[in-house]
Amino acid sequence: MRKTLSRAVLGVTVLGLAALGLPGSAAAAPAPRDVERTVTDIVPVPVQAKADPKANFTLTPLTVIRAGQGADDVAAYLRGLLRTATGYPLPVVPRSAGLPAISLEVGHADPRVGTEGYQLNVAKSGVTLKANTSAGLFEGVQSLRQLLPSTIDAKSAQFRASWTVAGGSVLDYPRFGYRGAMLDVARHFFTPSQVKLYIDQIAQYKINTLHLHLADDQGWRIEIKSWPRLATEGGKGAVNGDPGGYYTQAEYKDIVAYAASRHITIVPEIDMPGHTNAAQATYAELNCDGIAVPPRTDTEVGYSSLCISSPTTYKFVEDVIRELAAITPGKYIGIGGDEAHSTSDADYKTFYQKVSPLVAKYGKLITGWHEISKTQPPASAIPQYWDQGGANADVAAAAARGNKILMSPSNHAYLDMKYNAQTPLGQDWAGLVEVKDAYNWDPATLVDGVGENSVAGVEAPLWTETLRTSDNLEYMAFPRLPGIAEIGWSPQASHNWDSYRERLAKQAPRWRAQGIDFYASPQVDWK
């Protein structure tokens, strides 16, 4: 239970700091009031932001975090963010009792902020963050942390006398409700701890969805208890014969819970009817001839297909959907649908006519690659567009029927594309995608016939044919992912490359403090 910090406890805290010579002790010399960036430098850029240099707030060992009703979890998260580098106690209390405070309040925010927006005010006397929901409060914390010196993200105590929070006010809310990243754990396997690291990295840019690509030709990554060898045998493979792996259902649920603590929803995807070689190599009955296919570790696409005419196929699909739905609290299940070149058009439509109702049967909604548009899925389904813009009659027709389209153009949003011809990682089939290319596009004008009201949001996929480590993921995601996050969050009217590149440059010290191995694009004058 939270308790108001007593004067006696405060006295012990300050004396203890002084005795140890820790930051904030009476013996410590004052630190410079450095302000690396202001409220107008936040990424993604807020709807409204007004800097006030005279209103800087000083974080000291006496500062408390005041959590109003419904704010406890976000307050605890904020405390965790700030304690390592500062070494300060930063107790979470229900009342600040005149002490300098960062106050978190759920409710009584400006109606314009909606369910994910927030109001932030930084004054000399304290910091106030308001939102209508804990999700909005969490997104506000991501802006607040950018107003502190970059070393606030260091992994060890920094021994400073105080920390300055840049003064000013922000009113902010998202352009689109779906702001996603995708991580391909099928081509190369990434452990739960690596996935959690990526979750923390994307959360700071107000990403609210992580799409996990859990199965492909090279490997199956999730335990399905009714088909146990999918994971134990099908999970052994990876591109180039690298080590595989899989998540037990308990591990998956732990990842889901961790993401939820960062206000990120996990969308699991099982690609089908193509991209299924790992399953077909494991269970012979998934092939029309009843003979298991050989495992594959190459990166070719389009050769595999489930047996569309077999009842066993639909038992398999239903079992997978049923078990995934039971361990996924989010609304959506991804059912793939891309590059099914070995499935005839008629069979493809037959497959989804049978599979789409199974998702609804287990209480979930559909996401899938934009090819599913031609099957006329229910209006609640979200087709994910991955082509390069322009005309697409099926996608436009889906939008006309009421489907919201998720925008992931491969020539802008695919984080595995090389930056330039010399980039040591990644691919180039969709082109070379520099930082400016990843930023300079508009989801509402990308596809003919799909306007602002038909866009669900944006997603930045990260395919891992060439990526093996967390450093690899970071190098390809940063600095491009923050730009795609800004496209999803910020008003289109604020979209300006020259302004963005200046704000992006100021993110570099934060990434260095976090140990993010980013690509130092020559298009940006890094700080």
Side-chain angles (χ1 to χ4, degrees):
M1 181 180 294
R2 292 180 287 113
K3 295 182 179 179
T4 304
L5 200 65
S6 70
R7 294 181 183 275
V9 171
L10 281 173
V12 170
T13 300
V14 175
L15 288 172
L17 288 169
L20 294 171
L22 290 177
S25 71
R33 295 177 63 83
D34 58 325
V35 176
E36 294 179 16
R37 59 190 71 81
T38 74
V39 294
T40 59
D41 293 318
I42 292 170
V43 177
V45 64
V47 174
Q48 296 178 14
K50 183 178 180 180
D52 184 357
K54 296 180 180 179
N56 294 344
F57 173 73
T58 302
L59 191 72
T60 74
L62 298 182
T63 302
V64 300
I65 299 174
R66 187 183 71 80
Q69 186 174 6
D72 292 272
D73 289 347
V74 178
Y77 169 81
L78 175 62
R79 183 179 188 239
L81 286 178
L82 303 180
R83 285 197 72 199
T84 299
T86 65
Y88 298 167
L90 298 170
V92 175
V93 299
R95 293 175 296 278
S96 53
L99 295 168
I102 300 173
S103 298
L104 307 183
E105 302 176 15
V106 176
H108 308 296
D110 189 302
R112 288 175 291 174
V113 306
T115 58
E116 286 191 284
Y118 62 92
Q119 286 176 274
L120 174 62
N121 186 70
V122 180
K124 279 187 176 181
S125 57
V127 176
T128 302
L129 180 60
K130 291 182 179 181
N132 291 323
T133 66
S134 59
L137 209 61
F138 183 85
E139 305 301 8
V141 163
Q142 305 314 315
S143 292
L144 172 61
R145 67 191 289 197
Q146 291 190 33
L147 304 181
L148 282 147
S150 298
T151 48
I152 198 68
D153 285 321
K155 297 177 181 179
S156 60
Q158 297 301 293
F159 302 103
R160 298 169 58 104
S162 63
W163 298 75
T164 302
V165 182
S169 60
V170 176
L171 186 145
D172 203 10
Y173 48 86
R175 178 185 182 188
F176 296 116
Y178 193 123
R179 304 174 307 281
M182 188 213 80
L183 182 59
D184 169 19
V185 297
R187 270 50 176 274
H188 279 101
F189 179 68
F190 291 85
T191 66
S193 61
Q194 289 176 302
V195 175
K196 290 177 181 179
L197 175 62
Y198 197 57
I199 286 169
D200 280 329
Q201 291 168 345
I202 65 178
Q204 63 188 317
Y205 294 103
K206 303 182 175 71
I207 295 294
N208 66 359
T209 306
L210 178 62
H211 167 184
L212 287 179
H213 186 76
L214 289 169
D216 214 297
D217 292 316
Q218 299 84 359
W220 186 283
R221 306 300 182 207
I222 182 69
E223 176 189 23
I224 302 296
K225 294 181 178 180
S226 53
W227 297 73
R229 290 192 291 116
L230 285 171
T232 58
E233 296 297 322
K236 289 180 177 178
V239 168
N240 293 332
D242 287 351
Y246 67 92
Y247 309 117
T248 66
Q249 291 195 7
E251 288 171 329
Y252 173 81
K253 288 191 285 187
D254 180 59
I255 291 170
V256 168
Y258 188 85
S261 75
R262 271 63 178 160
H263 290 270
I264 288 176
T265 299
I266 297 293
V267 174
E269 180 203 352
I270 302 297
D271 211 343
M272 48 188 167
H275 289 280
T276 51
N277 197 80
Q280 292 177 277
T282 304
Y283 284 99
E285 57 266 43
L286 297 178
N287 300 282
C288 288
D289 60 6
I291 300 172
V293 299
R296 296 276 293 257
T297 63
D298 58 292
T299 59
E300 291 299 314
V301 298
Y303 57 85
S304 58
S305 178
L306 293 170
C307 187
I308 306 304
S309 61
S310 170
T312 302
T313 292
Y314 302 100
K315 181 182 187 307
F316 162 75
V317 171
E318 180 167 4
D319 285 342
V320 170
I321 290 172
R322 173 176 50 79
E323 292 196 34
L324 262 185
I327 58 177
T328 300
K331 294 190 294 184
Y332 294 98
I333 297 284
I335 54 175
D338 64 321
E339 298 175 323
H341 305 321
S342 295
T343 310
S344 72
D345 208 44
D347 279 353
Y348 186 92
K349 291 176 181 177
T350 296
F351 178 80
Y352 278 110
Q353 285 168 0
K354 294 182 178 181
V355 168
S356 294
L358 296 177
V359 179
K361 178 178 178 179
Y362 294 100
K364 301 299 178 183
L365 304 177
I366 293 168
T367 65
W369 301 104
H370 70 252
E371 288 93 330
I372 69 168
S373 298
K374 64 186 176 185
T375 71
Q376 299 194 13
S380 59
I382 297 181
Q384 182 170 355
Y385 180 84
W386 61 270
D387 209 345
Q388 301 187 17
N392 186 303
D394 290 327
V395 173
R401 291 191 300 268
N403 293 98
K404 298 285 189 179
I405 311 300
L406 181 61
M407 294 298 183
S408 299
S410 51
N411 57 334
H412 294 292
Y414 270 36
L415 300 178
D416 55 301
M417 291 298 111
K418 291 176 176 284
Y419 293 98
N420 55 53
Q422 289 72 47
T423 304
L425 301 168
Q427 305 184 85
D428 60 6
W429 58 263
L432 302 174
V433 182
E434 251 289 2
V435 179
K436 186 175 182 180
D437 302 311
Y439 184 77
N440 270 349
W441 63 284
D442 180 6
T445 61
L446 182 72
V447 179
D448 299 346
V450 183
E452 181 94 11
N453 291 335
S454 295
V455 175
V458 299
E459 185 173 285
L462 186 49
W463 300 98
T464 62
E465 286 93 337
T466 68
L467 311 180
R468 295 178 168 89
T469 67
S470 289
D471 280 349
N472 292 166
L473 301 182
E474 291 163 7
Y475 185 79
M476 301 306 283
F478 292 89
R480 290 181 291 195
L481 182 134
I484 297 163
E486 179 156 305
I487 290 168
W489 179 276
S490 304
Q492 173 60 20
S494 68
H495 197 83
N496 180 281
W497 165 250
D498 291 330
S499 167
Y500 173 69
R501 67 187 292 272
E502 292 182 9
R503 288 181 290 109
L504 183 65
K506 296 177 182 179
Q507 297 294 306
R510 299 186 67 227
W511 298 340
R512 295 186 190 105
Q514 292 175 38
I516 291 177
D517 181 22
F518 69 97
Y519 163 67
S521 168
Q523 294 183 337
V524 179
D525 298 324
W526 300 102
K527 304 301 179 186

